[in-house]
Amino acid sequence: KATTDEFIIIADDQSNVIALHRDTAEIKWRINTGIVPASGPTVNQDRIIIASASGDILALNATDGTEVWRTHVAAEILADPAIDQNMTIIKTMDGKVYAFDSKNGEQLWQYHHGPARISLRASSAPVIADNVVVVGFEDGKLDVLNLTNGQLVSQRTIAFPQGISLVDQVVGIVATPVVQQGIIYVATYQGRVSAIELATGEDIWQQEMSVYTGMTLDGNVLYVSDANSHVWAIDKNDGQVLWRQTQLNARSITASVILDDFVV
């Protein structure tokens, strides 16, 4: 799901996209898109973007659900799209990143990172910030791309494969990075959580941890759900652990959401 100022947008496995009024839950509009979404919906101003595992990308008008444009890439899409006023960024499971004009769907550029040898069936979303695109890949590398032309600005290996078996060597960045005030917060499966300077690529701090769901930043605290379903509260400035909740062990919990004074 995604939200606008007025609606909650839901995409279901029957190819429907539905807009519910935020206050009353009244259905304002419903359309059948003809594609089963594997990622999205992602909303920015008047655009809703959804994508399918078979590579279909669809842009809808957020006000009434009418189709604005539709396009296709020859790869599986599991990562949520990223949108700003001008561009829609799509990441595919074969290690490519595409930029489309948000108004008409024209392809603007393409970047090829390359596929991972082995990965989880999950994919972190690209993040648009400060005129760059921050993209985590399933091989444990973090790329920063120029938003205008897709050129590589920097690349960092966040986690290295360990052990002998293929399972031991899975180190993908499948939790979407968080970018705030020039700092990238990134987590890897069977790796670590790190804070990295966006401009220089230098490490600020790191914590050994395995993460595949996601992270939530609230004020000065980064909340992380790890692979054991433990919830961590980490000081975003120095990486110190403020507390850890272990009573949900092995429950396959999601990333955290902040609700008033609670972590949900």
Side-chain angles (χ1 to χ4, degrees):
K1 68 173 179 60
T3 59
T4 68
D5 290 341
E6 186 177 359
F7 301 139
I8 299 171
I9 309 297
I10 300 169
D12 69 20
D13 60 3
Q14 302 298 312
S15 303
N16 297 308
V17 179
I18 304 162
L20 304 176
H21 195 281
R22 289 183 64 148
D23 296 328
T24 65
E26 176 189 359
I27 295 178
K28 303 301 291 185
W29 53 259
R30 178 202 300 260
I31 65 161
N32 189 283
T33 63
I35 67 172
V36 178
S39 65
T42 303
V43 178
N44 181 273
Q45 294 186 331
D46 63 343
R47 286 290 181 271
I48 301 169
I49 306 293
I50 62 172
S52 74
S54 57
D56 299 300
I57 305 160
L58 180 62
L60 306 175
N61 185 300
T63 302
D64 57 16
T66 56
E67 182 173 325
V68 181
W69 54 263
R70 182 184 298 235
T71 190
H72 180 83
V73 295
E76 187 176 31
I77 305 170
L78 296 182
D80 285 343
I83 319 173
D84 71 357
Q85 292 182 355
N86 302 311
M87 286 191 187
T88 294
I89 307 297
I90 300 291
K91 174 191 163 190
T92 58
M93 286 298 289
D94 61 351
K96 293 180 181 178
V97 181
Y98 297 84
F100 298 95
D101 189 305
S102 291
K103 296 180 178 62
N104 57 29
E106 176 190 358
Q107 184 175 319
L108 302 175
W109 52 258
Q110 178 188 144
Y111 169 76
H112 188 197
H113 173 92
R117 180 166 172 251
I118 184 172
S119 66
L120 299 174
R121 186 169 168 73
S123 189
S124 61
V127 178
I128 299 172
D130 300 331
N131 206 39
V132 298
V133 184
V134 178
V135 193
F137 289 95
E138 283 65 47
D139 58 1
K141 293 181 180 179
L142 183 77
D143 291 4
V144 177
L145 311 178
N146 184 296
L147 179 61
T148 303
N149 56 27
Q151 294 295 308
L152 181 66
V153 175
S154 65
Q155 184 179 85
R156 283 287 308 276
T157 300
I158 305 301
F160 296 89
Q162 305 289 328
I164 299 174
S165 73
L166 289 178
V167 173
D168 291 337
Q169 295 180 28
V170 177
V171 292
I173 301 174
V174 292
T176 298
V178 176
V179 183
Q180 187 185 82
Q181 298 177 334
I183 308 296
I184 306 170
Y185 302 91
V186 59
T188 62
Y189 181 67
Q190 299 191 140
R192 65 194 189 197
V193 177
S194 300
I196 300 169
E197 288 275 3
L198 177 60
T200 65
E202 296 297 319
D203 279 330
I204 300 173
W205 55 259
Q206 55 187 255
Q207 278 280 353
E208 296 299 315
M209 198 180 304
S210 179
V211 179
Y212 63 83
T213 53
M215 301 173 290
T216 302
L217 187 58
D218 184 55
N220 288 318
V221 183
L222 185 69
Y223 297 97
V224 183
S225 302
D226 72 14
N228 296 316
S229 292
H230 299 172
V231 183
W232 300 67
I234 299 173
D235 189 306
K236 75 168 189 179
N237 298 305
D238 57 16
Q240 294 298 307
V241 176
L242 303 176
W243 53 258
R244 181 170 64 138
Q245 172 58 265
T246 64
Q247 294 184 40
L248 298 172
N249 186 68
R251 300 298 203 282
S252 298
I253 64 172
T254 64
S256 301
V257 176
I258 307 304
L259 179 64
D260 297 327
D261 293 331
F262 297 94
V263 181
V264 182

